[in-house]
């Protein structure tokens, strides 16, 4: 395996963790697993040989963005043509702890919800919520059976009744090496100019904005009941998309994070995938829903959480029979600021991403 610095050097500007401090490995992930196993009386244990599979899933779901940040880079063989002039990576599914016979996720999620610590922004205030994430899988070019997607980064500043969103294409992602080689020989217009800012625009935060955004001095963030009402009754896939949307547009307070984990614990079919390292190199714990989706296609949705604060680190959607990552979102920054962010270069719209 390559060292972290070597991988980051190869990723260059497409590195999803560029400029993001990587926290030290948490101590509580193992104790979390032990507590959950003690609660259920089940001892799933690890296989005699820890099996790791490139698998996993996820998806991001909201309006404007598409693309991804955090992937495995496949080194070109010596016979390949000269390197492409744009940042490019090949995305492969994540590896996680429990591959075969994963235990139900419910007791682990409840144990995590009961023992959360503050995130950095829980102790901060500011005029604007600042969020940054990358998503891949929607801004797609398909040619001769080969696929390429833009790696888009969204940076948001959300105030009391208005927000600003800056969208930047930072690179390109491919689901397999064959697609990378094809588009290396057939580059598309504009790819030589990456990375580039695509748009900076303002939008009002209206009552029907995703989740009904609340600001730092509003007492509602301490009350999880409205959030629980939004999450209850959803099926597994719908709930995962709702959780993803919530984190894409909100700073989610600790009480709300506990409410999210508790709501997920009530959904049949979620399984515990154990410890995982996300695409930004951060330690996390994962749950997944594996089953037929609309149209009967077999798919996986995976949520990866920070094991101490319960923050969502990523959401991925994978076709496991390929295997191929269809879509994922990686959360990179969340906090409060008094600065409103970038100056808009586009029109004021009526809804986020509108």
């Amino acid at each position: 395996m390559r060292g972290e610095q070597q991988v980051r050097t190869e990723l260059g500007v497409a590195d999803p963790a560029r400029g993001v401090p990587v926290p030290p490995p948490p101590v509580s992930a193992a104790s979390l697993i032990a507590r959950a196993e003690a609660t259920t009386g089940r001892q799933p244990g690890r296989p005699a040989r820890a099996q790791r599979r490139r698998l996993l899933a996820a998806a991001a779901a909201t309006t404007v963005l598409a693309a991804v940040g955090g992937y495995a880079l496949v080194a070109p063989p010596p016979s390949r043509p000269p390197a492409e002039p744009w940042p490019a990576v090949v995305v492969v599914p994540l590896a996680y702890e429990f591959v075969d016979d994963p235990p139900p996720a419910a007791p682990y999620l409840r144990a995590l919800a009961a023992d959360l610590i503050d995130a950095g922004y829980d102790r901060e205030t500011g005029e604007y919520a600042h969020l940054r994430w990358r998503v891949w899988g929607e801004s797609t070019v398909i040619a001769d059976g080969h696929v390429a997607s833009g790696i888009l980064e969204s940076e948001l500043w959300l105030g009391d009744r208005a927000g600003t969103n800056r969208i930047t294409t930072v690179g390109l992602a491919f689901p397999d090496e064959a697609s990378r080689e094809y588009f290396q020989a057939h580059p598309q217009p504009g790819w030589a100019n990456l990375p580039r800012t695509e748009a900076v625009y303002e939008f009002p935060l209206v009552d029907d904005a995703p989740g009904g955004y609340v600001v730092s001095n509003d007492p509602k963030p301490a009350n999880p009941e409205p959030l629980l009402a939004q999450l209850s009754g959803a099926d597994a896939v719908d709930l995962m998309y709702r959780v993803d949307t919530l984190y894409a547009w909100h700073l989610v307070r600790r009480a709300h994070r506990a409410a999210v984990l508790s709501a997920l614990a009530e959904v049949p079919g979620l399984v515990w995938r154990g410890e995982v390292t996300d695409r930004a190199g951060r330690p996390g714990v994962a749950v997944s829903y594996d089953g037929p989706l609309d149209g009967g296609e077999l798919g996986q949705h995976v949520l990866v959480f920070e094991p101490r604060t319960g923050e969502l680190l990523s959401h991925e959607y994978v076709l496991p029979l390929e295997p191929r990552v269809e879509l994922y979102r990686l959360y990179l920054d969340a906090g409060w600021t008094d600065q409103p962010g970038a100056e808009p270069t586009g029109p004021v719209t009526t809804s986020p991403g509108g």
Side-chain angles (χ1 to χ4, degrees):
M1 270 182 89
R2 297 180 212 163
E4 175 184 342
Q5 189 57 50
Q6 182 180 354
V7 172
R8 288 190 169 183
T9 299
E10 292 172 323
L11 286 173
V13 296
D15 181 4
R18 195 179 185 198
V20 178
V22 178
V27 176
S28 60
S31 60
L32 168 64
I33 294 172
R35 285 200 308 276
E37 291 172 359
T39 301
T40 60
R42 177 176 181 179
Q43 302 294 328
R46 301 187 184 180
R49 296 183 60 186
Q51 298 185 42
R52 299 247 176 198
R53 182 178 61 178
R54 290 178 175 179
L55 195 68
L56 231 26
T62 35
T63 56
V64 280
L65 305 179
V68 80
Y71 9 69
L73 181 65
V74 178
S79 60
R80 185 169 302 166
E84 55 271 356
W86 19 262
V89 292
V90 174
V91 179
V92 298
L94 292 173
Y96 46 68
E97 183 177 2
F98 294 109
V99 176
D100 299 320
D101 191 28
Y108 298 88
L109 290 167
R110 294 189 184 106
L112 177 58
D115 197 29
L116 296 184
I117 66 172
D118 281 348
Y121 57 77
D122 286 320
R123 300 182 296 273
E124 299 172 353
T125 60
E127 293 297 318
Y128 298 88
H130 175 239
L131 304 171
R132 184 170 67 92
W133 40 268
R134 291 186 180 184
V135 59
W136 167 69
E138 295 176 1
S139 179
T140 299
V141 176
I142 301 176
D144 295 335
H146 301 288
V147 179
S149 293
I151 303 169
L152 304 187
E153 180 169 295
S154 175
E155 191 165 16
L156 298 110
W157 293 266
L158 303 172
D160 188 0
R161 301 302 299 170
T164 303
N165 192 358
R166 177 168 60 201
I167 304 170
T168 303
T169 300
V170 297
L172 301 168
F174 307 96
D176 50 55
E177 192 62 27
S179 291
R180 175 177 172 149
E181 291 177 353
Y182 176 88
F183 283 106
Q184 185 182 37
H186 304 85
Q188 303 300 298
W191 284 6
N193 298 325
L194 299 181
R196 64 171 180 267
T197 298
E198 303 291 351
V200 180
Y201 63 91
E202 287 183 338
F203 53 87
L205 288 163
V206 294
D207 291 341
D208 61 352
Y213 183 77
V214 288
V215 294
S216 59
N217 60 358
D218 191 315
K220 286 186 291 186
N223 177 13
E225 294 303 320
L227 174 61
L228 281 172
Q230 294 180 32
L231 300 179
S232 63
D235 63 27
V237 173
D238 187 30
L239 179 54
M240 286 185 160
Y241 276 119
R242 291 187 191 188
V243 171
D244 184 48
T245 299
L246 178 75
Y247 273 89
W249 294 94
H250 297 258
L251 288 177
V252 185
R253 297 287 193 172
R254 186 170 70 176
H256 279 177
R257 298 196 301 273
V260 166
L261 296 167
S262 298
L264 286 167
E266 300 303 318
V267 177
L270 293 188
V271 296
W272 179 255
R273 293 298 181 177
E275 296 178 356
V276 64
T277 299
D278 80 354
R279 298 181 187 276
R282 301 168 296 189
V285 290
V287 298
S288 76
Y289 169 77
D290 305 42
L293 306 177
D294 293 342
E297 183 178 44
L298 181 64
Q300 283 189 322
H301 282 276
V302 175
L303 299 179
V304 177
F305 294 98
E306 211 288 335
R308 297 160 296 183
T309 66
E311 295 169 273
L312 184 64
L313 299 179
S314 68
H315 176 204
E316 305 201 357
Y317 169 42
V318 165
L319 299 179
L321 298 181
E322 305 277 345
R324 187 174 78 237
V325 179
E326 284 288 284
L327 189 70
Y328 77 79
R329 180 166 8 220
L330 185 74
Y331 296 90
L332 296 174
D333 289 324
W336 295 105
T337 180
D338 290 324
Q339 302 301 317
E343 289 294 322
T345 56
V348 175
T349 60
T350 57
S351 63

